[in-house]
Amino acid sequence: MSAGAPVRRLTAAAGDGDRATLGGKAVGLAALLRAGVRVPDTWVVPVGAEPAAADLATVAAHAPRWAVRSSATVEDGTGLSYAGMFRSELDVPAAGLAAAVAAVRDSARSQRVAAYRARSAAAGPEAGMAVLLQPFRTPVRSGLWLGRGPGRGRLEWTDGSGEALVSGAVTPAWEEWADGSRTAGSAPTALSDAGRPVGAACVALQERLGRPADLEFALLDDGLVWLQFRPMTAELGTPSERPAGDGADLVRGTAAAAGRATARGLRLDHADDPRWEPGAVLLAERTDPDWVPLMAEAAALVTAEGGMLCHAAIVARELGVPCVTGVGADALARLASGRPLEVDGTAGTVAVR
């Protein structure tokens, strides 16, 4: 590493040619700046740089608390997203910036990253790690958008921090958009910012970006701010029409990753459970990135919580693993009987055979 390398303020001038220095997340934020939308003030510790203490102190003077995020060279690309693979540190005190930068940088060498690369045909080179520094604010609501094409996409959101949403710790509120209009949703009215539906803002931003987009946003007390943009890496399926309710032998959830698989279901409470059997249907309350080595070996994945846009669902689509999320804790318990399960990630159903 180069000692005393400067910490850079991110500008709209950063482009694809800067990925090797600033990383993919920074390049995506710069694209959002060029699209004319609001993003957090962002400083970048470049790949291979050891930030000088004076540089960090200068940055730290801008805010008392910080979000320290990964921006790996392989992250948020057109082939693979590496969604949730690298570490981010939120609500970091100014005095803790150096330690948080080191922790984020070290996450490039984790076991989950190695497992993800090994399973992914488009893995490419190993990651170089830049680190983003952004003033931290607690959002009123946080959300994700995944585009299906012009004017079309899915919006998912929750109250408070987005960490619970992207990690699959909650089953989110959702909206479907087509032809630039809200066509369905879990709530009677659309999520709005100052009277304008957030979904409409996602549709408009996606049009400006010129491609179906994977977007992350936060609603702060003073309005909408965009946190991340990455290209779509796997097609998002179209929701199936499903009758309400579950049967004794059929469980319904969110169709998170297309495909079908039949195998014995195995309920695990943590990623290092020695009872895991490759080729089983992985049943879990939720999965964070530490579960990726198991996901890569699973016939299918079923979770009690989570939506279509959480990191587990994105990674399952990229790995080609059928996935149904948000079935609920009671249904998950019924599935953990040891009998074979037929998982249909396209329809969002799990049948006990």
Side-chain angles (χ1 to χ4, degrees):
M1 290 187 182
S2 56
V7 179
R8 306 182 187 181
R9 184 75 174 263
L10 182 67
T11 71
D16 286 337
D18 298 300
R19 176 177 286 270
T21 302
L22 305 182
K25 196 172 291 181
V27 169
L29 282 168
L32 292 174
L33 284 170
R34 291 193 296 275
V37 296
R38 179 187 177 192
V39 305
D41 291 336
T42 302
W43 288 261
V44 187
V45 180
V47 173
E50 185 67 44
D55 279 345
L56 288 181
T58 299
V59 172
H62 289 83
R65 314 293 294 187
W66 290 84
V68 182
R69 303 181 186 273
S70 66
S71 184
T73 53
V74 295
E75 196 170 1
D76 295 355
T78 56
L80 291 173
S81 67
Y82 280 78
M85 291 298 105
F86 305 111
R87 186 167 179 169
S88 289
E89 300 280 345
L90 302 180
D91 202 12
V92 176
L97 281 180
V101 167
V104 171
R105 198 165 48 205
D106 288 347
S107 69
R109 297 185 292 273
S110 68
Q111 180 184 2
R112 66 197 191 194
V113 171
Y116 179 77
R117 292 186 72 253
R119 176 67 186 261
S120 304
E126 292 189 1
M129 181 63 76
V131 181
L132 307 184
L133 310 176
Q134 299 170 326
F136 177 80
R137 294 176 61 185
T138 301
V140 178
R141 293 188 176 91
S142 301
L144 303 166
W145 165 273
L146 213 57
R148 291 193 170 95
R152 301 173 60 237
R154 182 179 177 93
L155 178 70
E156 293 185 349
W157 55 273
T158 191
D159 292 337
S161 169
E163 183 60 27
L165 179 63
V166 298
S167 69
V170 297
T171 298
W174 59 270
E175 299 175 17
E176 287 288 336
W177 284 71
D179 298 324
S181 299
R182 183 179 187 264
T183 58
S186 60
T189 58
L191 176 66
S192 295
D193 170 41
R196 184 192 186 193
V198 172
C202 293
V203 167
L205 178 53
Q206 182 172 262
E207 183 175 350
R208 272 177 272 172
L209 293 167
R211 62 173 68 185
D214 180 342
L215 301 166
E216 183 176 347
F217 64 86
L219 272 173
L220 305 178
D221 53 13
D222 60 352
L224 183 64
V225 61
W226 301 90
L227 303 178
Q228 189 168 352
F229 156 60
R230 55 182 167 227
M232 293 284 293
T233 56
E235 184 177 352
L236 185 64
T238 300
S240 303
E241 290 295 328
R242 304 190 308 242
D246 298 340
D249 294 317
L250 183 68
V251 166
R252 304 180 189 279
T254 298
R260 288 185 178 181
T262 301
R264 186 172 81 90
L266 187 57
R267 166 70 186 269
L268 301 181
D269 293 322
H270 49 84
D272 56 356
D273 193 317
R275 296 179 299 121
W276 170 243
E277 299 173 4
V281 172
L282 175 58
L283 306 174
E285 181 178 351
R286 66 184 182 96
T287 63
D288 60 37
D290 287 335
W291 292 74
V292 168
L294 278 64
M295 291 171 61
E297 297 176 341
L301 171 66
V302 180
T303 65
E305 302 292 347
M308 196 180 287
L309 309 187
C310 65
H311 286 156
I314 293 172
V315 171
R317 288 192 290 273
E318 292 179 343
L319 297 181
V321 176
C323 178
V324 177
T325 59
V327 300
D330 291 344
L332 194 75
R334 296 206 307 271
L335 296 175
S337 64
R339 293 171 60 186
L341 304 177
E342 181 181 321
V343 180
D344 188 334
T346 305
T349 60
V350 186
V352 180
R353 297 304 185 199

